[in-house]
Amino acid sequence: MVLRVGLLVGRERSFPDALIAEVARRDAGVVASYAELDITSIDRPPPYDVLVDRISHEVTCYQPVLKLAVLNGTRVVNNPFWRIADDKLFGTALAARLGVRVPRTVVLPSKSYGEGVSSQTLCNLRFPLDWEGAARELGFPMFIKPHWGGGFRDVYRVSSMEELWRAYDRTGTLTMIAQEAIPWSQYVRCIVIGKEHVRPALWDPRLGHFDRYVRATETMPELEPALLARCVEDARSLCRALGYDMNTVELAIRDGVPYAIDFMNSAPDFDITSLGPEHFPWVVEKMADLVIKLAHEGPPKPAMSFKDVMR
């Protein structure tokens, strides 16, 4: 019996096409293709052994379908029960608990709320909010960013109370966190596959999108071996704890210490135009290893309880 891997994607093509071709080249009894979904009944889950989810964070109607698939034994990368529960405050607190250094972080009440929410609804919030205390704790400059979200959307760097309030006034109903800025000498992005395989790379967020990997060695020094090993282990620890089988973990190096800045990238950028020829083949190879392995392993247990699904 041929095992089926479905790729759930958006506009990207270089990575999914390469993965489909690599799985076919292996001739391992597994066929990979673009997934096809329709109106989905609870008793007719998608007919795939593995689904690779690259787009449900944007096309949210896929999320319940993916959870249904997991319930029926499909292995989904990344597990939707883990991914959808994630948020930046929890993730930062978890990283600190694991011994990974993180910026000082606070969560902010939303600037505004939906219809029907009144001052009485917000009776548990203390007013006026302690903005001065938060500023003393984090210092300036600081960043405010959405509690959920990515792609640098709605992220503000602020250097004063006035800038903080102006940025906050633009956030609407979003829940935001504020973090201290970490001045860094090197910036590392670790590509993680299968929670264990880690490829660390210098990555410069100051450069244009297509240059951040390929030109980073021109703008910062290489990592010393001990620091490189620390970055790899921090990335591995975070992905094990978060349950992410594909992820990118960003670490800012301050005074020789890595600080985890961004590490919940459930659909990391795997496009060849950004990874470049140095990293792209590794990603395709390791993802092919992973999906073939998961397809042959099958469901975690013959009969799953909800608790098993969440593992």
Side-chain angles (χ1 to χ4, degrees), residues 31 37 42 65 71 82 86 111 114 152 198 231 234 251 283 305:
V31 172
L37 301 181
I42 61 170
V65 178
L71 186 64
W82 284 100
D86 285 341
K111 167 62 180 177
F152 295 100
V198 183
C231 290
D234 283 355
L251 301 158
V283 167
S305 69

Side-chain angles (χ1 to χ4, degrees), residues 198-221:
V198 183
R199 187 175 183 88
L202 290 175
W203 188 81
D204 193 336
R206 299 168 299 189
L207 299 177
H209 177 75
F210 300 111
D211 294 328
R212 289 172 183 165
Y213 281 107
V214 297
R215 295 189 55 205
T217 55
E218 302 172 18
T219 61
M220 64 187 84

Side-chain angles (χ1 to χ4, degrees), residues 29-51:
V30 178
V31 172
S33 63
Y34 287 91
E36 292 185 353
L37 301 181
D38 202 333
I39 295 172
T40 303
S41 170
I42 61 170
D43 57 359
R44 291 191 303 277
Y48 296 98
D49 300 282
V50 178
L51 282 167

